[in-house]
Amino acid sequence: MHRVLNVAEKNDAAKSLARLLSKNSASMREGFSRFNKIYEFNYQLFNQPVQMIFTSVSGHIMNCDFMAAHKNWAQTDPVILFDATVQKKVTDRALDIEKTIKREVVKCRTLIIWTDCDREGENIGYEVINLCRPLKANLKIYRARFSEITFNSATRALANLVQPDERVSAAVDVRQELDLRIGAAFTRFQTLRLQRLFGFDSKQVISYGSCQFPTLGFIVERYLQRENFISEPFWKIAVEHQTEAGEFCEFTWERNRLFEHQPCLMIYDMIMDEPLAKVMDVKSKNKSKWRPVALDTVEMEKLASRKLRMTGKKTMEIAEKLYMKGLISYPRTETNIFPTEINLQPLVQNQANDQRWGAFAQRVLNDGPQPRNGKNTDKAHPPIHPTRYPDGQLTDDENKLYELIVRHFLACVSKDAQGDETTIKISIANENFNASGLIIREKNYLDVYVYDKWSEKELPHYELNQTFYPTKIEMAQGETTAPQLLTESDLIALMEKHGIGTDATHAEHIAKIQDRLYTKMNSERRFEPEKLGLGLCEGYDKMGHALSKPHLRAELENQLKAICEGRANPADVLREQIDKYRQVFIATSVQIQKLDDSMTKYFGPPGQNPPPPPPPRPPPSGPFGDPPQTSRNNNNQSARPQQPRPPPPARPLQQEQIRPTNSTGVPKCNCDADAKELTVKKDGPNKGRSFFRCGNNDNCNFFAWKDDVTPSNAGGGQRQFGDNQANSLRKRQQSDNDDDVKPRKCGLCKQTGHTRRNCPSLNL
DNA sequence: GCAAGGTC
């Protein structure tokens, strides 16, 4: 009988595939590796009986590295590493696996590759093929393509065997070689230089990597955005109403906020002239809050970070343990679609006796589990889900993560929450304000998914066209606030978005840049760069090669895709990329002073060992404060941040309306003379308020309130009144300030020929 | 002593 060697990416897959295809009749024996067993059974393949031998690797069994001659850091000029010979060979820890495969393949006529159907899987397949081909003449080689490990999928793969895809594998070879050459060259160069100049410990590696550096870059970029942030004031109008029954309702302005004080004040004045609110629209509609989509690795890490305060790395370690105990499915997956082959019923049933969520699981069983699926599939693994109920003790962390996975799973297969949303639109003096309320009808998934909140808000009843006087109309000042530092969840999302790392590795990159002392998680669990991270990013950014930005990696990713799809030749891509990075490397070594200067800012001048204490906290004058004096470098400018603090964005409207003033705070009028300060004498809300007019020309229409041209006084006003007071307030005179001015002018812009109602300045 | 990618 012919023998067929089948090799999967890991033992677990080999075991499951053998079990499914043999209908549970496979026998197991040991190989050389204690983790990778051999499973055997008879099968009908190509219309003839064969003996199937299933075994596995453990991911990659080979690694790409330099030859011994180039492994010595001190004796190798790093630039050579762009051209030095590299070789791929079996790693020490995979020697046992190699031995098993070599022993088994010589007994077989056919080799079938069952590695994961992604790019790395194809490459791992070729590692196996390259091991086997020299040992057996006329070995027939096939690739099994399967989207999940189920009977149907595996049977279909065997009935439709294809050839392995050399292009896909070649793309991975290109990536491996580039990552190695670039990583090693920059790491050795900067480590040796910074150790020598700034006295870092000889054991402290200052690494560069095409994933770790952009990850650090995200953190530094956000940090600098915060440091350089300039807050801008804004103004808004808030309306509140308390009904006679005592019910309370807050309305928000449809314009949200304005960045200029004057126009906001004009509108506010207009509203205060006629503060009668009219209900323009009352809408009520069903609103659903969607249950979560099936769980993939990225989402699990983000959730665990936000809800369990667990780092991505920790989460993956614990998930791995749960997986090894058979409690959850494979935790490294990009798939958030449940394959139709998976029977969800028994998986829900497993949870039905739990005290915490058993009753909910029972409800799901009664309705029939209906997963909410996302849009991604890696064609290798299902979404993360519980596979059985624990029968023994779990650690605290294991319990927490298992609970998260179960609750997410049950939520995903249950029903969306249902509610009724009411929105009320009112208009006051042609300005619109909205209020919205929510009543939850059915909590559904929210009953089990304790991580989501949906807050109810009840509104008073309003009738269409009803009018009322608000209890409070307030013009409030606020200011824009700086963006927050990144959480781990933010960081993972950014990496995902820019294609930095894979679902299996981003937690490792985040851990690595902390190990390297480039960044740390602060007490609020947000990432702030350390001096070393800031110095490195700033230095490289000044050189202008965007090494700390994600674009280079994204560009490589596009080229790899082109290789996979046959649009690009792997050798060409490799050569181009190596040439490009060699150039970047050379340019970097020419401009390395820029890195030294940035490092000097944080670690003091070079040549001192050990490094001096850090400079004092930067003064508020700039993002970094003034650089310390360097003994070697007289040109302090070079150590300054290259980007000066940007001026606040110009706001032309504001400049027209809030006039520049002279040293005593008096503005120029329209005929360019110093304006004249007057005070409102007439009784009314503005009595006693100072304003400016042209001092010498009746035809000059200039007017400005004094508190509008005095920056320290630019805040908003606040007025409160009850319904009974409204009449007196809305009768504010538009000519309060026009004591001695004829003819009457617009109360807003002080021009003649129109009134507040049709003032052109309201066309904001 | 270096990267990133698999996996135990």
Side-chain angles (χ1 to χ4, degrees):
Chain A
M1 192 156 50
H2 291 173
R3 291 199 190 87
V4 177
L5 180 62
N6 298 267
V7 183
E9 190 157 319
K10 55 190 160 291
N11 182 65
D12 190 68
K15 184 178 169 184
S16 301
L17 288 164
R19 184 173 48 80
L20 291 166
L21 290 167
S22 70
K23 302 198 166 139
N24 253 335
S25 71
S27 62
M28 192 263 277
R29 63 182 164 94
E30 295 293 327
F32 289 103
S33 155
R34 51 188 275 253
F35 299 112
N36 305 83
K37 316 287 186 192
I38 300 166
Y39 306 89
E40 291 172 319
F41 57 94
N42 292 331
Y43 196 78
Q44 195 79 16
L45 187 67
F46 308 131
N47 289 322
Q48 50 178 316
V50 297
Q51 187 188 16
M52 296 288 259
I53 301 172
F54 259 88
T55 188
S56 56
V57 289
S58 290
H60 285 286
I61 54 173
M62 293 183 169
N63 194 27
C64 182
D65 208 351
F66 299 108
M67 313 294 276
H70 291 126
K71 288 191 179 170
N72 185 310
W73 288 34
Q75 288 161 21
T76 309
D77 182 345
V79 77
I80 291 174
L81 299 178
F82 288 99
D83 304 286
T85 308
V86 293
Q87 64 172 347
K88 240 182 135 172
K89 63 172 203 189
V90 177
T91 57
D92 286 349
R93 45 189 291 286
L95 289 174
D96 286 341
I97 294 171
E98 177 191 25
K99 232 165 130 183
T100 303
I101 290 175
K102 282 184 166 172
R103 183 187 70 189
E104 296 300 322
V105 76
V106 292
K107 298 185 274 182
C108 298
R109 282 198 194 174
T110 305
L111 170 66
I112 303 178
I113 301 296
W114 288 85
T115 47
D116 293 355
C117 292
D118 52 23
R119 211 155 70 190
E120 296 295 329
E122 209 65 22
N123 189 266
I124 294 167
Y126 268 89
E127 291 177 4
V128 174
I129 290 168
N130 291 335
L131 222 55
C132 295
R133 202 154 19 205
L135 295 179
K136 180 86 179 178
N138 303 323
L139 181 68
K140 288 197 167 55
I141 298 168
Y142 298 101
R143 172 73 158 122
R145 294 217 153 270
F146 56 107
S147 55
E148 59 274 324
I149 300 182
T150 58
F151 176 79
N152 287 341
S153 195
T155 315
R156 208 177 317 137
L158 276 181
N160 299 284
L161 289 171
V162 296
Q163 286 303 300
D165 194 332
E166 212 161 359
R167 298 173 305 190
V168 174
S169 174
V172 173
D173 284 334
V174 169
R175 176 196 63 70
Q176 285 176 348
E177 199 178 318
L178 278 169
D179 283 341
L180 174 67
R181 292 186 189 280
I182 299 163
F186 278 92
T187 298
R188 291 187 193 184
F189 175 65
Q190 72 185 19
T191 299
L192 293 176
R193 183 176 182 91
L194 298 180
Q195 280 178 359
R196 179 166 56 83
L197 292 184
F198 295 94
F200 290 105
D201 189 275
S202 64
K203 287 194 180 67
Q204 184 177 349
V205 172
I206 303 171
S207 58
Y208 174 86
S210 56
C211 288
Q212 51 178 273
F213 232 58
T215 306
L216 172 65
F218 292 133
I219 292 169
V220 171
E221 186 175 22
R222 176 58 63 90
Y223 172 82
L224 294 179
Q225 275 172 7
R226 250 178 96 76
E227 291 291 302
N228 296 332
F229 185 81
I230 295 167
S231 177
E232 279 188 80
F234 61 78
W235 291 266
K236 62 202 306 182
I237 298 173
V239 171
E240 290 176 13
H241 179 227
Q242 195 167 10
T243 64
E244 284 175 14
E247 297 162 300
F248 193 73
C249 189
E250 275 179 338
F251 293 87
T252 54
W253 198 13
E254 205 168 72
R255 294 181 198 267
N256 185 21
R257 62 189 185 186
L258 294 182
F259 284 95
E260 292 87 20
H261 176 241
Q262 192 83 345
C264 192
L265 190 63
M266 289 175 188
I267 295 169
Y268 178 67
D269 281 347
M270 211 165 67
I271 287 172
M272 297 309 285
D273 277 352
E274 278 182 88
L276 182 67
K278 182 175 180 188
V279 178
M280 308 301 286
D281 199 12
V282 180
K283 267 204 194 96
S284 200
K285 62 172 183 190
N286 294 346
K287 176 121 180 162
S288 306
K289 188 169 172 65
W290 291 349
R291 62 201 189 279
V293 298
L295 191 62
D296 60 26
T297 304
V298 169
E299 205 48 43
M300 177 177 73
E301 286 178 304
K302 283 159 58 180
L303 262 177
S305 179
R306 283 203 307 265
K307 308 296 181 182
L308 307 180
R309 303 168 73 78
M310 212 179 256
T311 66
K313 188 143 181 274
K314 182 95 186 157
T315 302
M316 292 310 289
E317 279 167 19
I318 295 167
E320 188 66 43
K321 286 187 184 142
L322 293 173
Y323 169 64
M324 294 306 289
K325 292 182 179 178
L327 295 174
I328 62 166
S329 62
Y330 188 65
R332 283 181 280 272
T333 175
E334 291 174 45
T335 305
N336 55 17
I337 301 170
F338 272 107
T340 47
E341 286 94 333
I342 288 194
N343 187 358
L344 299 169
Q345 194 88 13
L347 297 174
V348 178
Q349 182 69 54
N350 287 342
Q351 306 296 334
N353 293 324
D354 186 276
Q355 295 223 318
R356 294 157 291 180
W357 52 72
F360 187 86
Q362 198 55 56
R363 269 165 62 193
V364 172
L365 288 173
N366 295 341
D367 297 333
Q370 295 287 340
R372 175 167 172 236
N373 286 324
K375 289 184 175 149
N376 302 320
T377 171
D378 58 19
K379 297 180 178 166
H381 310 285
I384 302 166
H385 62 273
T387 44
R388 74 178 175 85
Y389 192 77
D391 41 19
Q393 278 294 311
L394 298 180
T395 67
D396 274 1
D397 282 341
E398 286 170 356
N399 249 323
K400 276 200 268 176
L401 188 62
Y402 183 75
E403 175 172 350
L404 180 91
I405 291 168
V406 172
R407 287 189 185 274
H408 191 100
F409 171 69
L410 292 175
C412 167
V413 297
S414 67
K415 291 179 181 166
D416 297 340
Q418 300 294 339
D420 292 314
E421 188 189 57
T422 310
T423 49
I424 316 259
K425 183 180 197 166
I426 60 168
S427 169
I428 314 174
N430 286 326
E431 286 297 311
N432 293 329
F433 297 82
N434 301 308
S436 73
L438 178 80
I439 293 162
I440 299 174
R441 260 187 297 113
E442 296 171 35
K443 284 185 78 179
N444 293 335
Y445 91 91
L446 290 169
D447 281 328
V448 76
Y449 203 62
V450 293
Y451 318 104
D452 264 7
K453 297 276 173 283
W454 207 22
S455 31
E456 282 196 289
K457 189 169 149 195
E458 226 168 311
L459 292 188
H461 180 77
Y462 288 99
E463 293 282 345
L464 187 62
N465 296 326
Q466 172 190 344
T467 57
F468 61 88
Y469 287 107
T471 17
K472 186 168 157 188
I473 300 178
E474 181 181 297
M475 176 166 153
Q477 183 180 358
E479 50 185 30
T480 54
T481 51
Q484 295 251 54
L485 293 173
L486 298 175
T487 62
E488 186 174 30
S489 175
D490 297 334
L491 192 51
I492 291 172
L494 278 170
M495 295 172 77
E496 167 96 338
K497 179 179 163 195
H498 289 92
I500 304 299
T502 68
D503 56 328
T505 61
H506 36 227
E508 288 170 32
H509 297 311
I510 295 171
K512 179 158 273 174
I513 56 178
Q514 293 174 82
D515 290 347
R516 297 283 193 231
L517 306 179
Y518 298 161
T519 182
K520 65 163 190 256
M521 198 186 249
N522 68 15
S523 56
E524 291 168 344
R525 298 182 57 80
R526 292 178 181 275
F527 284 103
E528 51 185 61
E530 297 272 27
K531 290 180 295 168
L532 183 51
L534 279 172
L536 286 169
C537 279
E538 201 185 315
Y540 279 112
D541 285 352
K542 277 191 210 160
M543 298 182 207
H545 302 302
L547 288 173
S548 73
K549 299 286 183 275
H551 315 114
L552 288 168
R553 182 78 193 181
E555 187 198 312
L556 173 61
E557 195 57 36
N558 280 335
Q559 299 213 31
L560 296 181
K561 214 169 169 187
I563 294 173
C564 290
E565 292 165 5
R567 291 181 283 113
N569 178 318
D572 292 346
V573 171
L574 185 61
R575 195 173 347 95
E576 273 172 37
Q577 291 279 327
I578 288 177
D579 286 346
K580 177 169 136 192
Y581 275 96
R582 194 194 298 101
Q583 281 312 113
V584 172
F585 183 84
I586 292 167
T588 298
S589 40
V590 169
Q591 307 177 75
I592 197 62
Q593 183 71 45
K594 290 180 178 165
L595 179 61
D596 297 348
D597 290 343
S598 296
M599 292 293 290
T600 298
K601 272 173 50 183
Y602 300 100
F603 295 94
Q608 293 178 21
N609 193 5
R617 289 291 299 163
S621 56
F624 302 106
D626 287 331
Q629 295 286 327
T630 66
S631 53
R632 175 185 42 77
N633 175 8
N634 291 327
N635 179 11
N636 269 340
Q637 290 304 318
S638 64
R640 283 183 179 276
Q642 268 210 328
Q643 296 298 320
R645 243 173 127 93
R651 298 229 173 248
L653 190 56
Q654 179 174 350
Q655 282 173 9
E656 280 167 24
Q657 289 173 345
I658 297 181
R659 296 270 168 161
T661 60
N662 67 14
S663 58
T664 55
V666 176
K668 297 276 187 198
C669 70
N670 292 339
C671 42
D672 209 32
D674 282 355
K676 183 177 164 192
E677 184 177 335
L678 298 164
T679 304
V680 179
K681 296 177 201 124
K682 193 169 170 178
D683 284 336
N686 283 320
K687 185 169 183 186
R689 195 175 173 194
S690 298
F691 61 95
F692 290 106
R693 286 206 45 78
C694 176
N696 54 6
N697 182 352
D698 276 348
N699 293 326
C700 174
N701 287 324
F702 175 69
F703 173 86
W705 289 111
K706 189 183 182 187
D707 47 9
D708 283 344
V709 296
T710 311
S712 62
N713 229 353
Q718 174 182 337
R719 297 173 210 183
Q720 289 192 36
F721 54 94
D723 281 358
N724 52 348
Q725 295 172 297
N727 279 334
S728 62
L729 274 168
R730 73 196 151 100
K731 275 290 159 206
R732 244 186 79 197
Q733 297 296 307
Q734 73 173 31
S735 57
D736 281 346
N737 43 53
D738 292 353
D739 293 16
D740 48 2
V741 182
K742 303 283 186 233
R744 291 169 80 86
K745 294 174 180 169
C746 166
L748 292 180
C749 71
K750 310 301 163 194
Q751 306 294 314
T752 52
H754 60 263
T755 64
R756 280 167 194 258
R757 190 61 38 78
N758 53 1
C759 174
S761 71
L762 284 173
N763 294 327
L764 300 168

